[in-house]
């Protein structure tokens, strides 16, 4: 390569090499596939049908059958075969139109536009690296020079070097995101060839049995190694495809934050750089294990975690339980409110409950460092709650956040406050074993003497076992929510999917509002 310094990681260099090969094979496949077609590319269907050899054969056979007449067996057969050939010509025309639309055009787009654009960005990065190396050399020579004129230029040369380095970082982040996106779409590109076989199976009906035997085998092999991107994929599907208990973005982000983000002020509230966040999301979608560079940017990690939760087709706390969560948060009595929240939590689907438990345990650990990071359970609930639960209604995400945010905070805050009561089991955050153990010290149980009984977990002597009993919690006055009857008081700016909405409820005189301050 032309540049002196290699700024891309090994996995990115490997993706780049594979990308150049994909371009070559896509170009060759496109060229050979075009030569297999009998129609003219880019023409309308009527003209294409008329120019097909099968259409000419059909017309000749039907005309010949008409000359021989109905009395001739040969004539009747030629006429019938001519009609069959006409139907075959129609099938062939539709098949070739489908091939051009679904396979040839995407292959051409990939080989002639998408990959060349990435390679163009790679060349731009190489030029910027050369500029940086040159600026660095000039600065270094100036610092070592005894020439006063050269020494006077040290500061300006340092600024030039820093500016050149900044340009390199921006270009590198964009190129890295493009390369990771390319790698994450590997299955989509491979699917073009499966679609070709499927189209051929539809056209070659007499050979359908043999083709159907081959296509499922190819499809199974593809599904066995292709993992859809985690972002935007249903939780159950992602866990099934990846054979995981905890979603990869959740575990990866939690492990990185445990290492470097627990003392970071305003975590989940301060926005990260767009290019760094895009790069991290693309890396997680690609399931890369090289995430070391992101440990130094906990706000990008927190932003990726929020994005994953927000982009789930169904919220982590589920659409089906939205009404139950809301009703539980509106129970006037604080002890019964906690019981109602626990009952709803206990009825969550297994996968959703496991991931919520994992996340809540982490958020409770984060809140224990609130003196440093300023993220109390109230503040965490305000900024993260709308990404955990929202109503299944029409409208923008911002409108949904406005409609549900007050209820959501009333649900999330007590769950974080009493995480060890809702989920008494210990959590091994490195559940998959993929990450190094965090050096952040373990936090003690905030309520070691808390009664571990749950509503309906054991039959009481004075009532049915399925009826939540308030007297189990009256001995724990600190379980009460900080507002008796109206739920939490919220005044905050929510940023959801690039849309902002302000939600305000005026606190009563005897109920202090949370100390969260919205980011400008």
């Amino acid at each position: 390569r032309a540049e002196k310094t290699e700024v891309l990681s090994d996995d990115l260099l490997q993706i780049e090499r594979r990308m150049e090969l994909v371009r070559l094979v896509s170009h060759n496949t496109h060229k050979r596939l075009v030569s297999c077609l009998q129609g003219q590319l880019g023409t309308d269907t009527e003209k294409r049908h008329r120019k097909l050899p099968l259409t000419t054969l059909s017309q000749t056979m039907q005309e010949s059958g008409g000359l021989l007449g109905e009395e001739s067996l040969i004539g009747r057969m030629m006429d019938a075969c001519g009609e069959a050939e006409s139907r075959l010509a129609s099938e062939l025309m539709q098949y070739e139109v489908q091939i051009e639309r679904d396979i040839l055009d995407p292959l051409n787009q990939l080989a002639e536009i998408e990959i060349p654009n990435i390679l163009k960005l790679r060349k731009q990065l190489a030029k910027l690296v050369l500029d940086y190396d040159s600026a660095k050399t000039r600065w270094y020579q100036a610092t070592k020079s005894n020439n006063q004129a050269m020494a006077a230029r040290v500061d300006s040369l340092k600024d030039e070097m820093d500016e050149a380095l900044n340009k390199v970082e921006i270009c590198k982040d964009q190129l890295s995101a493009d390369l990771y996106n390319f790698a994450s779409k590997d299955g989509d590109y491979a699917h073009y060839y499966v679609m070709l076989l499927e189209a051929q199976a539809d056209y070659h009906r007499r050979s359908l049995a043999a083709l159907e035997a081959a296509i499922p085998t190819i499809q199974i092999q593809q599904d066995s190694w292709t993992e859809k991107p985690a972002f935007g994929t249903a939780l159950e599907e992602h866990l099934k495809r990846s054979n995981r208990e905890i979603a990869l973005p959740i575990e990866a982000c939690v492990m990185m934050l445990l290492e470097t983000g627990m003392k970071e002020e305003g975590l989940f509230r301060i926005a990260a750089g767009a290019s760094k966040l895009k790069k991290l999301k693309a890396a997680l979608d690609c399931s890369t294990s090289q995430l070391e560079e992101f440990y130094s940017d906990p706000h990008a990690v927190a932003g990726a975690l929020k994005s994953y939760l927000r982009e789930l087709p169904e919220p982590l706390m589920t659409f089906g339980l939205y009404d139950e969560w809301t009703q539980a948060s509106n129970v006037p009595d604080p002890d019964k409110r906690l019981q109602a929240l626990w009952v709803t939590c206990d009825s969550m689907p297994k996968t959703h409950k496991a991931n919520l438990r994992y996340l809540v345990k982490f958020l409770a650990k984060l809140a224990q460092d609130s003196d440093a990071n300023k993220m109390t359970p109230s503040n965490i609930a305000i900024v993260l709650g709308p990404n955990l639960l929202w109503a299944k209604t029409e409208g923008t995400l911002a409108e949904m956040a406005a409609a549900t945010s007050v209820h959501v905070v009333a649900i999330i805050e007590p769950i974080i406050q009493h995480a060890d009561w809702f989920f008494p089991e210990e959590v091994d955050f490195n559940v998959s074993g993929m990450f190094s153990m965090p050096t952040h010290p373990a936090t003690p149980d905030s309520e070691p003497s808390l009664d571990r009984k749950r509503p309906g977990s054991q039959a009481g002597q004075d009532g049915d076992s399925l009826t939540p009993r308030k007297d189990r919690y009256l001995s724990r006055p600190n379980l009460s929510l900080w507002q008796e009857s109206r739920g939490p008081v919220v005044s905050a700016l929510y940023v959801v999917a690039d849309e902002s909405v302000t939600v305000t409820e005026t606190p009563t005189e005897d109920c202090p509002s949370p100390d969260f301050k919205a980011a400008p």
Side-chain angles (χ1 to χ4, degrees):
R1 304 190 183 281
E3 68 268 22
K4 299 177 182 178
T5 305
E6 182 55 72
V7 296
L8 296 181
S9 60
D10 291 339
D11 65 334
L12 289 173
L13 292 174
Q14 184 178 359
I15 292 172
E16 181 188 6
R17 290 190 289 269
R18 187 168 73 248
M19 180 183 66
E20 293 173 346
L21 290 175
V22 169
R23 181 191 182 190
L24 175 63
V25 299
S26 298
H27 174 79
N28 291 339
T29 302
H30 180 275
K31 181 179 179 181
R32 298 304 176 190
L33 188 54
V34 168
S35 66
C36 293
L37 303 183
Q38 300 181 37
Q40 297 179 355
L41 292 179
T43 58
D44 61 84
T45 55
E46 182 178 354
K47 183 177 181 181
R48 193 172 194 149
H49 185 276
R50 189 168 61 249
K51 294 292 184 179
L52 286 175
L54 276 178
T55 302
T56 304
L57 174 63
S58 169
Q59 292 173 348
T60 300
M61 294 181 73
Q62 286 181 307
E63 291 172 0
S64 300
L67 290 175
L68 293 172
E70 287 289 327
E71 294 78 15
S72 170
L73 181 60
I74 296 177
R76 289 164 61 185
M77 288 298 99
M78 291 189 72
D79 185 64
C81 287
E83 292 180 0
E85 294 294 341
S86 178
R87 291 193 295 269
L88 288 176
S90 297
E91 292 290 342
L92 179 59
M93 183 270 299
Q94 295 176 12
Y95 158 75
E96 292 192 353
V97 169
Q98 180 183 357
I99 290 296
E100 181 178 355
R101 181 188 67 241
D102 295 341
I103 299 173
L104 288 175
D105 288 347
L107 284 178
N108 186 68
Q109 176 81 10
L110 175 64
E112 305 302 330
I113 298 177
E114 294 179 8
I115 294 180
N117 285 342
I118 298 177
L119 295 176
K120 181 179 179 182
L121 191 61
R122 181 68 171 100
K123 291 180 180 179
Q124 181 181 347
L125 177 62
K127 180 180 180 301
L128 292 174
V129 170
L130 284 176
D131 293 342
Y132 167 69
D133 285 345
S134 177
K136 183 179 179 181
T137 300
R138 291 196 302 272
W139 171 79
Y140 181 79
Q141 291 174 348
T143 59
K144 299 300 182 180
S145 174
N146 295 325
N147 189 319
Q148 293 183 355
M150 289 291 292
R153 296 185 57 200
V154 169
D155 291 340
S156 62
L157 290 174
K158 179 67 166 56
D159 292 339
E160 289 179 13
M161 182 183 69
D162 291 341
E163 183 179 358
L165 178 60
N166 184 51
K167 291 180 180 179
V168 168
E169 289 297 322
I170 293 175
C171 185
K172 185 186 75 172
D173 286 347
Q174 180 60 51
L175 176 61
S176 300
D178 289 346
L179 288 172
Y180 281 134
N181 279 327
F182 168 82
S184 69
K185 294 179 181 178
D186 207 32
D188 294 336
Y189 302 145
H191 189 60
Y192 297 150
Y193 303 98
V194 179
M195 293 169 64
L196 173 61
L197 291 186
E198 290 175 338
Q200 288 173 331
D202 290 336
Y203 171 65
H204 298 287
R205 295 187 181 277
R206 287 171 297 182
S207 303
L208 187 58
L211 288 169
E212 284 183 338
I215 291 173
T217 302
I218 297 174
Q219 193 68 59
I220 290 173
Q221 291 176 351
Q222 180 189 1
D223 291 342
S224 66
W225 58 261
T226 300
E227 182 178 348
K228 288 180 64 177
F231 285 78
T233 301
L235 179 63
E236 293 85 351
E237 182 179 354
H238 167 64
L239 297 179
K240 181 179 179 180
R241 281 179 172 270
S242 58
N243 194 27
R244 299 179 60 88
E245 298 177 8
I246 304 300
L248 173 61
I250 295 179
E251 182 184 359
C253 292
V254 164
M255 290 301 295
M256 286 189 282
L257 292 175
L258 283 171
E259 181 70 24
T260 59
M262 302 302 284
K263 304 292 186 180
E264 192 72 21
E265 184 173 343
L267 198 68
F268 292 106
R269 180 168 62 86
I270 297 176
S275 61
K276 185 71 71 173
L277 177 59
K278 181 179 179 182
K279 180 180 176 182
L280 175 55
K281 291 174 63 177
L284 291 173
D285 266 342
C286 192
S287 300
T288 181
S289 60
Q290 297 191 9
L291 299 172
E292 290 81 2
E293 64 176 291
F294 301 106
Y295 279 76
S296 61
D297 193 346
H299 294 293
V301 177
L305 178 55
K306 288 175 65 177
S307 293
Y308 172 74
L309 296 171
R310 182 169 61 241
E311 294 174 22
L312 285 172
E314 181 177 18
L316 187 60
M317 299 174 72
T318 74
F319 286 131
L321 293 174
Y322 178 80
D323 291 337
E324 285 80 353
W325 285 119
T326 305
Q327 292 171 6
S329 68
N330 289 330
V331 174
D333 182 83
D335 295 316
K336 291 183 178 180
R337 188 184 312 148
L338 280 174
Q339 296 181 43
L341 289 172
W342 185 91
V343 170
T344 305
C345 182
D346 195 50
S347 63
M348 289 178 64
K350 182 179 179 180
T351 55
H352 286 256
K353 183 179 179 182
N355 281 264
L356 178 65
R357 168 179 169 268
Y358 182 94
L359 183 61
V360 166
K361 285 286 195 176
F362 163 72
L363 295 176
K365 182 182 284 287
L366 177 68
Q368 289 176 355
D369 287 324
S370 60
D371 289 343
N373 57 42
K374 309 304 181 185
M375 296 308 293
T376 63
S378 174
N379 291 345
I380 295 173
I382 289 173
V383 297
L384 205 58
N387 301 308
L388 292 171
L389 180 64
W390 61 86
K392 190 176 184 180
T393 56
E394 297 295 331
T396 66
L397 287 174
E399 291 171 350
M400 287 188 283
T404 64
S405 56
V406 174
H407 296 301
V408 168
V409 174
I411 296 165
I412 304 301
E413 181 181 357
I415 294 179
I416 296 175
Q417 286 176 330
H418 311 299
D420 290 334
W421 182 81
F422 278 90
F423 306 108
E425 304 86 0
E426 292 298 324
V427 170
D428 178 9
F429 290 108
N430 191 19
V431 63
S432 66
M434 293 174 55
F435 305 90
S436 59
M437 293 305 296
T439 57
H440 189 76
T443 51
D445 190 344
S446 60
E447 295 176 312
S449 62
L450 188 62
D451 184 2
R452 296 300 186 187
K453 293 181 180 179
R454 294 292 181 277
S457 61
Q458 296 181 5
Q461 298 179 354
D462 56 344
D464 183 72
S465 63
L466 298 179
T467 303
R469 289 177 47 196
K470 175 181 176 181
D471 58 355
R472 292 179 180 173
Y473 309 95
L474 288 179
S475 61
R476 303 290 302 178
N478 60 339
L479 290 181
S480 301
L481 297 180
W482 47 263
Q483 188 173 358
E484 279 288 324
S485 59
R486 299 178 60 238
V489 181
V490 178
S491 179
L493 175 66
Y494 293 89
V495 180
V496 183
D498 298 327
E499 299 183 54
S500 299
V501 58
T502 301
V503 180
T504 303
E505 182 175 340
T506 304
T508 58
E509 293 181 357
D510 56 344
C511 295
S513 60
D515 59 357
F516 174 77
K517 295 182 180 179

